[in-house]
Amino acid sequence: MYCFIWVVLVAISVLIGLAAFIWAIRTGQFSDQTRARYLALSEDVHLLPDVNPSKLTKEVYVLLVIGAVGLIVLMAPVALSIYRAGGGG
């Protein structure tokens, strides 16, 4: 029971990682490696525009949803083991 849930979690993580890697290749994230090694030494500073920190952006909502789903997936084995042990009522 426990192994199956962890195998599914690892499989989902690997699939998400592969999807991110394929996206990075398709959008050209790795196309200019010689420029990338000198970016930390660059004097060219791009300042971010002023944003209202009291407003939550869609990125924050996406991260909250991902965190909630991850927490649910990680807590599922604990809840199932408590239920199967007879502590669930």
Side-chain angles (χ1 to χ4, degrees):
M1 179 70 184
Y2 299 116
C3 289
F4 177 73
I5 293 174
W6 289 112
V7 167
V8 170
L9 180 64
V10 169
I12 290 171
S13 300
V14 168
L15 289 175
I16 291 172
L18 281 174
F21 183 70
I22 291 170
W23 168 83
I25 289 175
R26 285 187 179 176
T27 58
Q29 299 294 320
F30 306 118
S31 62
D32 193 6
Q33 289 298 307
T34 55
R35 180 180 163 268
R37 77 174 67 153
Y38 297 111
L39 282 177
L41 303 173
S42 173
E43 294 286 331
D44 188 21
V45 177
H46 297 288
L47 298 176
L48 296 174
D50 292 336
V51 294
N52 187 355
S54 65
K55 287 189 174 181
L56 294 178
T57 61
K58 67 179 179 179
E59 290 87 3
V60 173
Y61 288 118
V62 169
L63 287 174
L64 287 173
V65 168
I66 291 172
V69 169
L71 186 62
I72 290 169
V73 168
L74 289 174
M75 293 305 294
V78 174
L80 288 173
S81 64
I82 291 172
Y83 180 75
R84 292 196 114 208

